[in-house]
Amino acid sequence: MGLALVALGLVLVAEGLLWVLAPGLVEQLLALLRGLSVEERRLAGLAALALGLALLWAGRLLGAGLT
C-alpha cells in the first residue's frame, strides 16, 4: 500500500508541476486530445502505459527498484 501511495504522490507532483509551469501548454494539449478519435486516444494511452512500464523495468534493472 505504501508503494502505491508513493506512486500516486509522484503522479500528482508531476501533474501539478505541469499545470503550474506551463498552463498554456496544458490547454494546447487538451485541444489536441479533443481532436483525436477515441481509438487514437486509446493508442496514446497504451503507448504511455508501455513507456511507463519500460521505465520501471529499466529502473529496476539499474538497481533503483523498491523491494
Side-chain angles (χ1 to χ4, degrees):
M1 181 66 171
L3 185 57
L5 290 176
V6 169
L8 181 59
L10 288 172
V11 168
L12 291 174
V13 166
E15 289 279 338
L17 278 174
L18 185 61
W19 280 100
V20 168
L21 297 176
L25 178 62
V26 173
E27 292 297 327
Q28 291 174 353
L29 289 172
L30 289 173
L32 176 71
L33 284 173
R34 279 191 289 272
L36 296 177
S37 70
V38 172
E39 276 304 313
E40 290 170 324
R41 284 181 276 175
R42 188 170 286 133
L43 185 59
L46 182 61
L49 174 67
L51 178 60
L53 287 173
L55 289 172
L56 288 172
W57 179 71
R60 186 168 177 117
L61 281 179
L62 295 172
L66 300 173
T67 311

